[in-house]
C-alpha cells in the first residue's frame, strides 16, 4: 500500500525529488532535491543531496561489480527506497508511508469460511526440476519446483505445482474459476505447511488464499500462475479482489 514507484535504472545519472524537473518526481512533502543515483559500468551509488541529509537515517548504498545488493535503504522522513534485481535488470522500488493508497485503505475482504476448501494433499515428486514463471511485466524466471500437491475437491482430483516457500512452507500460485470475477485475475497465493499430519498428508487451507501485491499497486512485479496451476473449479474461499 505504501509503494509509490518503481524506477528501472539505466546507465547514467537519475535525480530524485519533488522538483518537477527531477528524473524521478516524488511527493510534494519530500525535499525538492532528495539525491542522485549514479550508475556507470556496473557500479551504482546513491548520493543524498546535502539539503536532505539532516533528516535522513541511512547511508548511501552501493552496488558492486558482482551485482550483490546491499541491505541498505535510502530513507528520508516517510520515504524509503531499495534496490531490486529482476533477471539482471535493476530497479529502485520506492515507498512512502504517507501514500494516499495506504492512508485511504479500508481493509481486506474474504469469502465466508468454508470447510470443503480445507483439503488433504499428497506430496508427490514433481515431474520437472524447474518451471518457467512469468511475472506481470512479461519477464520469465526459471524457478525450482519443490513438489507436486495432489488433492480432491468435490470428488475430483487436482494437482498444484508447489515452489519452495522456505524451510517450513510450500509456496503455491494458483488460478481458479473465480479469477477475474470475485477474485484477482492474476491468481492468488497460498502458503502450505510442509509438515505432514498423522496420515502423511499436508493440509491446503484455501480459506487462507491471499492476493498478490499487484492487487494493491501498479509498482509490484508479481509472479503469475503457471498453466499447470489453473484449476477448473471455483475456489470460493480466501481473499476477494479489492477492485
Amino acid at each position: 500500500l505504501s509503494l509509490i514507484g518503481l524506477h528501472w535504472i539505466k546507465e547514467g545519472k537519475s535525480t530524485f525529488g519533488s522538483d518537477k524537473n527531477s528524473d524521478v518526481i516524488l511527493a510534494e512533502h519530500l525535499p525538492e532535491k532528495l539525491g542522485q543515483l549514479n550508475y556507470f559500468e556496473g557500479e551504482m551509488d546513491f548520493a543524498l543531496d546535502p539539503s536532505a541529509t539532516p533528516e535522513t537515517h541511512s547511508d548511501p548504498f552501493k552496488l558492486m561489480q558482482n551485482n550483490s545488493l546491499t541491505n541498505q535503504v535510502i530513507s528520508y522522513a516517510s520515504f524509503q527506497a531499495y534496490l531490486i534485481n529482476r533477471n539482471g535488470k535493476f530497479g529502485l522500488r520506492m515507498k512512502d508511508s504517507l501514500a494516499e493508497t495506504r492512508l485511504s485503505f479500508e481493509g481486506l475482504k474474504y469469502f465466508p469460511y468454508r470447510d470443503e476448501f480445507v483439503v488433504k494433499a499428497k506430496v508427490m515428486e514433481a515431474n520437472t526440476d524447474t518451471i518457467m514463471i512469468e511475472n506481470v511485466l512479461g519477464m520469465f524466471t526459471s524457478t525450482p519446483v519443490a513438489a507436486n500437491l495432489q488433492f480432491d475437491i468435490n470428488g475430483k482430483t487436482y494437482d498444484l505445482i508447489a515452489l519452495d516457500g522456505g524451510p517450513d512452507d510450500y509456496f503455491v500460485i494458483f488460478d481458479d474459476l473465480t479469477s477475474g470475477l470475485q477474485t484477482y485475475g492474476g491468481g492468488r497465493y497460498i502458503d502450505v505447511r510442509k509438515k505432514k499430519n498423522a496420515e502423511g498428508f499436508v493440509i491446503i487451507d484455501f480459506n487462507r488464499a491471499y492476493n498478490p501485491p499487484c492487487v494493491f499497486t501498479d509498482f509490484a512485479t508479481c509472479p503469475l500462475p503457471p498453466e499447470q496451476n489453473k484449476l477448473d473449479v471455483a475456489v470460493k474461499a480466501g481473499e476477494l479482489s479489492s477492485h
Side-chain angles (χ1 to χ4, degrees), residues 31 86 148 161 184 232:
R86 296 293 180 268
N148 188 73
I161 288 177
Y184 176 54
D232 62 347

Side-chain angles (χ1 to χ4, degrees), residues 132-141 143 173 221-226:
M132 296 301 292
I133 298 290
E134 184 181 10
N135 68 18
V136 294
L137 301 178
M139 299 175 176
F140 286 86
T141 302
T143 306
I173 311 168
T221 58
C222 308
L224 298 169

Side-chain angles (χ1 to χ4, degrees), residues 120-190:
K120 297 184 295 185
K122 294 179 184 178
V123 179
M124 305 177 68
E125 186 175 345
N127 58 10
T128 180
D129 293 330
T130 61
I131 188 171
M132 296 301 292
I133 298 290
E134 184 181 10
N135 68 18
V136 294
L137 301 178
M139 299 175 176
F140 286 86
T141 302
S142 179
T143 306
V145 174
N148 188 73
L149 305 181
Q150 189 176 87
F151 57 94
D152 292 344
I153 293 179
N154 297 328
K156 185 174 179 179
T157 301
Y158 298 92
D159 293 89
L160 285 172
I161 288 177
L163 310 178
D164 187 19
D168 299 322
D169 296 321
Y170 295 113
F171 175 58
V172 176
I173 311 168
F174 76 97
D175 182 285
D176 68 279
L177 297 184
T178 70
S179 300
L181 300 173
Q182 298 107 314
T183 63
Y184 176 54
R188 289 180 289 168
Y189 301 165
I190 190 165

Side-chain angles (χ1 to χ4, degrees), residues 24-199:
V24 180
I25 302 172
L26 304 177
E28 292 182 358
H29 67 273
L30 294 169
E32 289 188 1
K33 296 180 179 180
L34 180 66
Q36 179 174 287
L37 184 73
N38 306 300
Y39 185 35
F40 292 103
E41 298 180 351
E43 293 197 2
M44 185 188 309
D45 67 74
F46 186 91
L48 289 162
D49 191 272
S51 63
T53 52
E55 289 189 45
T56 191
H57 50 88
S58 70
D59 296 320
F61 64 75
K62 290 187 177 181
L63 175 72
M64 305 310 293
Q65 294 252 6
N66 62 2
N67 285 350
S68 61
L69 301 182
T70 72
N71 291 323
Q72 290 173 305
V73 176
I74 302 168
S75 182
Y76 185 92
S78 62
F79 174 82
Q80 286 190 332
Y82 56 94
L83 281 169
I84 63 170
N85 183 346
R86 296 293 180 268
N87 293 353
K89 185 177 181 180
F90 295 102
L92 196 67
R93 175 165 282 165
M94 296 171 286
K95 293 185 174 185
D96 186 352
S97 61
L98 297 180
E100 181 59 29
T101 46
R102 177 180 176 272
L103 298 179
S104 62
F105 182 61
E106 297 181 353
L108 303 175
K109 297 179 181 179
Y110 296 85
F111 284 106
Y113 182 90
R114 297 179 65 178
D115 285 327
E116 60 262 44
F117 289 112
V118 182
V119 300
K120 297 184 295 185
K122 294 179 184 178
V123 179
M124 305 177 68
E125 186 175 345
N127 58 10
T128 180
D129 293 330
T130 61
I131 188 171
M132 296 301 292
I133 298 290
E134 184 181 10
N135 68 18
V136 294
L137 301 178
M139 299 175 176
F140 286 86
T141 302
S142 179
T143 306
V145 174
N148 188 73
L149 305 181
Q150 189 176 87
F151 57 94
D152 292 344
I153 293 179
N154 297 328
K156 185 174 179 179
T157 301
Y158 298 92
D159 293 89
L160 285 172
I161 288 177
L163 310 178
D164 187 19
D168 299 322
D169 296 321
Y170 295 113
F171 175 58
V172 176
I173 311 168
F174 76 97
D175 182 285
D176 68 279
L177 297 184
T178 70
S179 300
L181 300 173
Q182 298 107 314
T183 63
Y184 176 54
R188 289 180 289 168
Y189 301 165
I190 190 165
D191 301 310
V192 179
R193 288 289 183 184
K194 291 180 179 177
K195 186 176 181 180
K196 298 177 181 178
N197 64 12
E199 302 172 88

